[in-house]
């Protein structure tokens, strides 16, 4: 199983980035996909999740209206479009996979089967 994030980097406040997570080794279309992030000294926190078909999404309040998750089951890839970035968005961003869509478990990093290695996003002027 592999999950490989890409697209991170340094961006100015108000800017945009698009993260990708390319996966292999499991049946992508049968997994809920999520993005988490972890800032230095802080616990890993939920950002957003998307159902198997992409029909339903869930966002943390801190990113609602600024970030958009999407997926392409033909390419086994999940994306995170991040707009209006703020310095508080600076973190390592991880994609993760789990089989079930259960909201109270979806937001816990302990409830996931597979993880990527992360990609650094730094928002600074």
């Amino acid at each position: 199983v592999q999950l490989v994030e890409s697209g991170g980097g340094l961006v100015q406040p108000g800017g945009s980035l698009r993260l990708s997570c390319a996966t292999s080794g499991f049946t992508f279309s049968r997994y809920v996909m999520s993005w988490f992030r972890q800032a230095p000294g802080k616990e890993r926190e939920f950002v957003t999740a998307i159902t198997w078909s992409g029909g339903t999404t869930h966002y943390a309040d801190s990113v609602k209206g600024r970030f958009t998750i999407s997926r392409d089951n033909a390419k086994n890839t999940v994306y995170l479009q991040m707009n209006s970035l703020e310095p508080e968005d600076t973190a390592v961003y991880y994609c993760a996979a789990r089989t079930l869509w259960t909201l109270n478990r979806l937001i816990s990093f302990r409830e996931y089967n597979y993880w990527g290695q992360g990609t650094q996003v730094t928002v600074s002027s």
Side-chain angles (χ1 to χ4, degrees):
V1 172
Q2 281 195 314
L3 292 79
V4 181
E5 300 95 336
S6 61
L10 173 64
V11 63
Q12 292 187 340
S16 298
L17 280 176
R18 189 193 194 207
L19 306 184
S20 298
C21 172
T23 73
S24 62
F26 64 101
T27 307
F28 181 76
S29 61
R30 294 182 181 178
Y31 280 76
V32 170
M33 296 301 299
S34 298
W35 288 92
F36 284 75
R37 66 186 182 186
Q38 189 166 19
K42 294 189 176 181
E43 191 169 85
R44 194 168 297 190
E45 68 170 352
F46 173 80
V47 176
T48 180
I50 189 167
T51 53
W52 314 269
S53 65
T56 300
T57 56
H58 180 62
Y59 293 90
D61 288 343
S62 58
V63 306
K64 205 171 290 184
R66 300 187 299 123
F67 289 12
T68 302
I69 189 171
S70 61
R71 66 189 294 161
D72 186 337
N73 285 350
K75 295 183 178 179
N76 295 337
T77 300
V78 62
Y79 305 96
L80 181 63
Q81 177 67 43
M82 305 186 294
N83 299 328
S84 303
L85 282 161
E86 304 167 352
E88 294 73 23
D89 296 317
T90 295
V92 177
Y93 282 72
Y94 300 88
C95 63
R98 72 189 306 268
T99 54
L100 298 177
W101 182 269
T102 309
L103 282 182
N104 62 334
R105 294 188 174 183
L106 204 65
I107 62 174
S108 171
F109 69 87
R110 297 178 180 84
E111 298 287 340
Y112 282 76
N113 304 97
Y114 306 129
W115 288 89
Q117 83 291 345
T119 186
Q120 176 70 48
V121 171
T122 303
V123 184
S124 175
S125 55

